[in-house]
Amino acid sequence: MNVLVINCGSSSLKYQLINSDTEQVLAKGLCERIGIDGRLTYQKAGCDKEITEAPMPTHKEAIQMVLDALVNEKTGAIASLTEVNAVGHRILHGGEKFAGSFIINDEVIKAVEDCCDLGPLHNPANLIGINACMELMPNVPMVGVFDTAFHQTMPEKAYLYGLPYEYYEKYRIRKYGFHGTSHSFVSKRTAEFLELDLENSKIIVAHLGNGASISAVQDGKCVDTSMGLTPLEGLVMGTRSGDIDPAVMEYIAKKENLDMAGVMNVLNKKSGVYGLSGGLSSDFRDLEDAMNKGDKKAKNAIEVFSYRVAKYIGSYVAAMNGVDAIAFTAGIGENAPTVRKMVMSYLGYLGITLDEEANAKRGEEMVISTADSKVKVAVIPTNEELAICRETVALVK
């Protein structure tokens, strides 16, 4: 069957059409600048990218353009929309209501709406995409795959904050975690690739991209993760601060004469390696290039990032009382040998030695620890779209 995977942002929309039988990507692309002017990037498998500039006042027009491209007489991946058998939607926040994926109906939509205050930037956009697809493809089953679902197996000791318990009771303030689809996919693939028994294993997944998070996966279930109520907690990221002393917010507000929205803007969009590098870049390719030319701030940014990753890995070794494998994934995890080397330099106490030749490669599925290492370390490319496809097929078949 053919599954259309949709990932809606506030002004963008990523998509892939996947044949679930072969797991081949038939076509993929991106809609950008929705609500501004509109740009569609479309690429059929084996063909060059096509870029179309056209008005996209809302996500409905964007999705209509995607569907039109998929059935285009010359470059379409399918002959008609009847060949789209299901749609899988990435949904950011499912709160405590969703510990798995669900076929979308009115009840699910209402529950996603109820979580909008937990995911104010993403959930409304996710809902717009769902409603647009339901209007344009009324007879096609839709599935919601939640970014937070995989982490719902965390125990209370891992997800509760040291706040008055009434805040959890009244507002469900707790750690939820994100990148769950990636953590689920990569932990399973790591066990398969390294020939581990998933249900009797201890795996740490380091999803390192512009947004970054780490998870501890014991016996196939998440027992802790670094992101929290929002994606701001945890690691230093591209532009997000990660963990800080909460009093910093008040201090910055007074010194810079900022309101809460202003402080949150600093923590979400002006911090992380971007802020540490003096505003140079949030792209590790730029930072590494600058570091190699002697830029101290760029060097600091990469070292702070790597140090925080290593500290979280160490804490999750303690949380699981051991570890069998560590997996690096996502843009930085798959393509930044310098970062992987820095992180692994802190892990010698685990009996890990880096295979320099293997680690020099980028974007490949590979083991980067030496054969005599007591803990295996691997690079496992993530594939969130394929994971969403698999979840969708499991529910609609």
Side-chain angles (χ1 to χ4, degrees):
M1 63 188 295
N2 294 328
V3 177
L4 178 60
V5 175
I6 297 286
N7 182 355
C8 273
S10 56
S11 61
S12 65
L13 183 156
K14 297 178 185 176
Y15 66 91
Q16 285 192 10
L17 182 66
I18 301 173
N19 180 315
S20 67
D21 298 321
T22 62
E23 297 194 337
Q24 178 190 0
V25 177
L26 303 179
K28 63 181 180 179
L30 171 70
C31 294
E32 300 174 276
R33 301 176 63 82
I34 299 171
I36 304 172
D37 41 28
R39 180 185 300 119
L40 169 72
T41 301
Y42 171 82
Q43 185 174 24
K44 180 183 176 182
C47 300
D48 293 333
K49 287 182 181 179
E50 299 175 12
I51 296 177
T52 304
E53 308 276 353
M56 297 179 188
T58 71
H59 287 71
K60 181 180 176 181
E61 287 82 9
I63 290 172
Q64 183 65 67
M65 285 187 66
V66 170
L67 299 180
D68 290 344
L70 290 174
V71 297
N72 181 281
E73 286 187 8
K74 292 183 178 179
T75 58
I78 51 177
S80 76
L81 290 180
T82 59
E83 294 180 47
V84 177
N85 305 111
V87 180
H89 293 268
R90 174 189 178 249
I91 303 174
L92 179 85
H93 218 305
E96 292 185 323
K97 297 172 182 177
F98 298 101
S101 302
F102 285 83
I103 292 178
I104 296 172
N105 54 28
D106 291 342
E107 185 179 350
V108 170
I109 289 175
K110 174 65 169 61
V112 174
E113 289 173 347
D114 291 342
C115 291
C116 280
D117 58 343
L118 292 171
L121 297 178
H122 295 82
N123 274 38
N126 299 153
L127 286 165
I128 290 169
I130 290 168
N131 288 326
C133 283
M134 292 178 81
E135 186 175 341
L136 294 169
M137 295 179 281
N139 299 316
V140 178
M142 310 271 165
V143 170
V145 180
F146 296 85
D147 224 24
T148 51
F150 181 63
H151 305 304
Q152 283 298 298
T153 52
M154 285 189 292
E156 288 182 316
K157 64 184 179 183
Y159 71 68
L160 288 175
Y161 289 123
L163 295 169
Y165 192 72
E166 63 182 289
Y167 294 157
Y168 170 66
E169 292 178 307
K170 290 194 293 187
Y171 311 120
R172 287 297 182 260
I173 293 177
R174 50 158 287 182
K175 176 182 286 193
Y176 287 100
F178 299 89
H179 297 139
T181 307
S182 176
H183 285 289
S184 175
F185 178 88
V186 172
S187 59
K188 291 178 176 66
R189 178 56 192 158
T190 299
E192 183 182 22
F193 181 61
L194 299 179
E195 298 182 343
L196 301 172
D197 177 6
L198 181 65
E199 296 183 0
N200 185 28
S201 65
K202 297 173 181 178
I203 297 171
I204 294 173
V205 176
H207 176 109
L208 308 180
N210 190 53
S213 63
I214 296 183
S215 66
V217 183
Q218 188 165 355
D219 303 335
K221 296 180 179 179
C222 177
V223 295
D224 207 344
T225 191
S226 59
M227 284 182 168
L229 175 76
T230 75
L232 184 57
E233 185 181 356
L235 302 175
V236 171
M237 304 178 217
T239 61
R240 298 181 189 131
S241 67
D243 296 339
I244 60 166
D245 177 348
V248 168
M249 298 173 71
E250 180 187 26
Y251 191 82
I252 292 174
K254 288 179 177 178
K255 291 292 185 181
E256 296 288 323
N257 193 28
L258 296 173
D259 59 12
M260 184 58 73
V263 173
M264 294 306 294
N265 184 58
V266 171
L267 298 181
N268 274 298
K269 297 182 179 180
K270 297 182 179 180
S271 300
V273 294
Y274 173 80
L276 283 167
S277 67
L280 171 66
S281 181
S282 61
D283 190 313
F284 273 71
R285 291 168 293 189
D286 298 333
L287 296 175
E288 189 173 345
D289 183 55
M291 179 181 72
N292 292 335
K293 292 177 181 176
D295 189 312
K296 187 176 186 301
K297 289 180 180 177
K299 182 173 183 286
N300 282 342
I302 293 174
E303 288 184 342
V304 169
F305 176 88
S306 302
Y307 180 62
R308 183 70 63 89
V309 172
K311 284 209 299 182
Y312 260 99
I313 288 174
S315 70
Y316 289 164
V317 173
M320 295 190 293
N321 197 17
V323 62
D324 298 313
I326 299 167
F328 288 95
T329 193
I332 298 165
E334 295 170 26
N335 298 291
T338 300
V339 170
R340 296 194 299 254
K341 182 176 181 178
M342 281 188 185
V343 172
M344 289 177 68
S345 71
Y346 294 100
L347 306 179
Y349 71 97
L350 294 173
I352 294 173
T353 308
L354 177 69
D355 182 331
E356 298 272 3
E357 184 178 349
N359 186 57
K361 299 174 183 177
R362 300 172 187 264
E364 294 182 31
E365 188 174 66
M366 57 190 171
V367 175
I368 58 172
S369 53
T370 56
D372 60 350
S373 292
K374 293 180 181 179
V375 176
K376 294 181 180 180
V377 182
V379 175
I380 305 291
T382 191
N383 193 331
E384 294 176 86
E385 289 79 15
L386 178 56
I388 292 171
C389 173
R390 288 173 177 174
E391 292 277 332
T392 301
V393 170
L395 284 172
V396 303
K397 249 191 174 181

